[in-house]
Structure formats: structure tokens, C-alpha cells
Amino acid sequence: MPTQLAVEATGLIKTYPGGRGRPDVRALDGLTLTVPAGTVHGLLGPNGAGKSTTTRVLTTLSRASAGDARVAGHDVVRHADQVRRSIGYVSQGTGADVLLTPRENLAMTARLRGASRSASLDRAGQLLDRFGLADAADRRTGVLSGGMRRKLDVALGLVDAPQVLFLDEPTTGLDPEARASMWAEIRRLAGEDSLTVVLTTHYLEEADRLADGLSIIDRGRVVAAGSPDELKAAFAGDTLTVDLVEPDAVLVRSVAARIAGLGDVVVHVEGPTGRLVARTPDGPAVVGPTIAALQAAGVRHGAVGVSRPTLDDVYLRHAGRSWTAAESAATSSGSPDASPDGSSDGSSPHDATGTVRVERSEVAR
């Protein structure tokens, strides 16, 4: 029996005007992905990769310049209303009114979606209990901790019991304890409720621990897809890393090329520091020769490390650059997908009242 798909996207292209004589920006460049129903699927990529733009297209908040997408069996353009009735969406910014209590926020959202007053209060109570917010149900949202407010955001996305829940960077800004709590809740949503969760993240650990499947995105394309274990299993051996001091990248590559047992060598330079990353069948055996060769060539270096394959290694192989280099490039280029508020269409994500527009659009469906 074929696997039921909650999300299908084929050849998505999204182009934004460059403005002021600059060339247009292609935020999505033929992106294709599938998400099986009832799974947690991660859209993993550095800032500016195209994750948030993908989410906005799939949630009908933005229209692709080309390509097709279906969510919960509905075309995101031709049947946008059906898509909105089938999904919940939690943006990077809070969707809750900070002057209202959590109970009032949840009940108001349910009322806006057509529920009666009694049904709205019942649903609010269920979600407050579910997310451990009952003790704070009647405090103003603005005085809650960051972790509690983020739980409330997710609860707001679940008021209508959607088939697919989109979470855009759900743990950004949370402390480790709050982040771990959110991870547990996301896993519970998929495991106990058979909900499909699509989350964007630039945290490698988060993707590795949470996701059943990953789409690794770089420059608006999916460059690798599979479960975290499948993607890492494609690598044999170890990863060797060497921290460099004021490196000459050409010299370092030349030295590394002469060291037996090193392959897939990448040298990343950022300002006065850098890093040599390479694959090797036997990490411990190659540490000594590597140090000796670098010192003989006059290459200054710091720590030398050996590790098993990680998602950073997966990204490096398929994207051709390190995670750090990609994050730096997004910051310096002002990529439209890299803004903290998630806005990439040249407009503000807030309306005149200060309400987050993407949340209001989803709530008002």
C-alpha cells in the first residue's frame, strides 16, 4: 500500500524583486519534497536557505512563481481555503495577544473559527491542560516565560485539530530546558495524535533528535533527503577537523592533499580564523601525520578533533560548503529568507495593529 503523503511539492520557484537596480532574488529554485502523513519532517538549512519561504508557500501565505504543491490532499493555489482548514501554523514570532490571558487567547481563537462560547472554553481548557499551562491560564500572556509563551503559540495552532501543523523555528530563543520540553511535546503530537508536523530549523541537534525525515535545503533547493540516520550512514569512517589560525587556504589544501588517508577536504576561512574538515577511514591514525604535515609547512593551528559523521558533514558534502560558511553568507548577503521576522516579500509581517499577519491569516480561516 502506497505511503499517504501529507505534503507534496514539485519544482517550487519563488522570485522576489531585487529593488534599486539589483537583480531579482530566487529564494526557491526548483524545490521538491514529500512528507509522509503522521511524521515529524524537518526542513533543515542555514539562515537564508529558503525554509521559511517554503513554509509560507505551503501554508498559502505566499504564492510560488512556478511549481505545484499539495497539503492534506489539496492544491495550495486552487484549493487554498481547504488547505487552511486542514493546517495549523506557528510562525517565528508570537501569535498571542500579550494583553490577554492564555485562556482568553485560546477561546478567542476558537470563537474566530466558528466555535460556540461553551465549545471555545472547553477547547481552551483541553489545550491548557495538554501543554501544562493550566496554572498560568489566567495570567496575562505578556508576563509568562518564553517557554510558556511558545507552548501557547503551539496550542493556538492546534485549536482546530489540524491534520498538518507547520512550526517555523519553534525553539529559537528558548533556554535548554524549555527547548527540551518543546521537543518532547512535538514528538508527542506526532506519536499520540498521528499529527503530521513540518518544522523548519537551523539547529542541527534539533533536526537530528526530532525528525523522522529531513529535507536539507540550500540556496532554495533540497540537496539531500532521508532520515537523519540514513543520511549519516552514507558516510564511512570519521571526520577530522583542525582549527586554523590566519590560514592560507591554498597552502592548507595543498598540504592536506599530500596526507595519506584524507579525502573530501574542505578549508573554510572566516577573517583571521579557519577550519580544515576532511573525511578519513581511521581518524585517530591520521591525527599525528596531519599535525606533523601542517607544522612542517608552517601552518598555524589550534585544536584537532575526530568525530563520527554528523548532519554538518551531510550538509558539507551535498551543499559544497560548511554550515558556518552558509550562515555567514546569508547574513552578509541579506538573503530574503534570513530575516528574523520571516518576512521576505518586501512587506512587514505585522499589520497596523501590531498583530502578526501570518498568524491572523491562519486564525481567520
Side-chain angles (χ1 to χ4, degrees), residues 55-68:
T55 300
R56 286 192 292 275
V57 169
L58 296 175
T59 55
T60 77
L61 296 171
S62 181
R63 181 173 291 194
S65 307
D68 300 294

Side-chain angles (χ1 to χ4, degrees), residues 233-312:
F235 291 82
D238 302 316
T239 298
L240 175 78
T241 58
V242 183
D243 293 336
L244 304 170
V245 180
E246 298 182 345
D248 178 333
V250 174
L251 174 60
V252 173
R253 291 190 192 97
S254 175
V255 172
R258 298 193 297 270
I259 300 173
L262 287 189
D264 296 333
V265 174
V266 175
V267 179
H268 169 59
V269 177
E270 185 174 357
T273 64
R275 173 169 284 195
L276 163 67
V277 182
R279 300 290 304 158
T280 177
D282 188 347
V286 81
V287 169
T290 298
I291 293 174
L294 292 173
Q295 291 179 345
V299 176
R300 297 168 60 197
H301 67 86
V304 179
V306 173
S307 63
R308 300 298 298 165
T310 66
L311 289 178
D312 197 0

Side-chain angles (χ1 to χ4, degrees), residues 4-13 28-37 39-45 49-59 67-72 76 164 166 196-200 213-218 220-226:
Q4 183 179 356
L5 297 178
V7 178
E8 303 173 75
T10 305
L12 293 182
I13 294 173
L28 299 181
D29 190 19
L31 183 141
T32 295
L33 64 86
T34 58
V35 179
T39 64
V40 177
H41 192 88
L43 305 181
L44 173 66
K51 307 182 303 296
S52 292
T53 299
T54 300
T55 300
R56 286 192 292 275
V57 169
L58 296 175
T59 55
D68 300 294
R70 297 174 67 84
V71 175
V76 298
V164 184
F166 289 88
T196 303
V197 179
V198 180
L199 65 91
T200 71
L214 288 175
S215 295
I216 298 180
I217 301 176
D218 184 64
R221 291 176 173 268
V222 173
V223 296

Side-chain angles (χ1 to χ4, degrees), residues 47-364:
N47 288 323
K51 307 182 303 296
S52 292
T53 299
T54 300
T55 300
R56 286 192 292 275
V57 169
L58 296 175
T59 55
T60 77
L61 296 171
S62 181
R63 181 173 291 194
S65 307
D68 300 294
R70 297 174 67 84
V71 175
H74 307 295
D75 186 278
V76 298
V77 175
R78 293 193 297 271
H79 305 121
D81 286 345
Q82 290 94 319
V83 171
R84 293 172 189 145
R85 294 188 189 99
S86 303
I87 66 171
Y89 175 55
V90 180
S91 69
Q92 293 185 42
T94 182
D97 188 325
V98 297
L99 298 179
L100 299 180
T101 68
R103 189 188 309 279
E104 290 168 339
N105 269 293
L106 290 165
M108 179 185 67
T109 300
R111 290 285 278 163
L112 287 172
R113 296 176 184 178
S116 68
R117 184 177 185 278
S118 60
S120 297
L121 290 172
D122 286 345
R123 183 59 175 157
Q126 293 168 5
L127 290 168
L128 290 167
D129 289 339
R130 171 71 184 270
F131 283 87
L133 295 171
D135 290 342
D138 299 308
R139 300 181 203 165
R140 275 195 312 111
T141 297
V143 304
L144 301 182
S145 68
M148 295 178 77
R149 288 173 65 171
R150 202 57 177 148
K151 285 184 177 183
L152 177 59
D153 288 333
V154 177
L156 287 168
L158 293 171
V159 165
D160 266 358
Q163 298 177 49
V164 184
L165 178 65
F166 289 88
L167 302 176
D168 198 0
E169 301 283 358
T171 64
T172 297
L174 298 186
D175 61 48
E177 182 178 356
R179 180 172 296 168
S181 177
M182 182 60 71
W183 287 352
E185 186 55 47
I186 292 171
R187 284 301 328 169
R188 189 156 67 102
L189 288 171
E192 295 181 8
D193 297 357
S194 298
L195 180 69
T196 303
V197 179
V198 180
L199 65 91
T200 71
T201 182
H202 65 279
Y203 294 128
L204 295 169
E205 181 189 9
E206 182 163 272
D208 205 351
R209 291 185 57 175
L210 267 185
D212 299 306
L214 288 175
S215 295
I216 298 180
I217 301 176
D218 184 64
R219 298 184 177 99
R221 291 176 173 268
V222 173
V223 296
S227 73
D229 288 342
E230 288 170 346
L231 292 169
K232 291 183 291 184
F235 291 82
D238 302 316
T239 298
L240 175 78
T241 58
V242 183
D243 293 336
L244 304 170
V245 180
E246 298 182 345
D248 178 333
V250 174
L251 174 60
V252 173
R253 291 190 192 97
S254 175
V255 172
R258 298 193 297 270
I259 300 173
L262 287 189
D264 296 333
V265 174
V266 175
V267 179
H268 169 59
V269 177
E270 185 174 357
T273 64
R275 173 169 284 195
L276 163 67
V277 182
R279 300 290 304 158
T280 177
D282 188 347
V286 81
V287 169
T290 298
I291 293 174
L294 292 173
Q295 291 179 345
V299 176
R300 297 168 60 197
H301 67 86
V304 179
V306 173
S307 63
R308 300 298 298 165
T310 66
L311 289 178
D312 197 0
D313 299 317
V314 175
Y315 180 82
L316 178 64
R317 168 176 287 184
H318 292 285
R321 55 181 178 164
S322 72
W323 193 266
T324 302
E327 296 263 52
S328 299
T331 301
S332 62
S333 68
S335 167
D337 202 66
S339 59
D341 60 18
S343 175
S344 63
D345 58 2
S347 62
S348 169
H350 298 77
D351 67 11
T353 66
T355 301
V356 178
R357 187 180 67 241
V358 293
E359 289 292 348
R360 185 183 64 184
S361 172
E362 198 272 333
V363 165

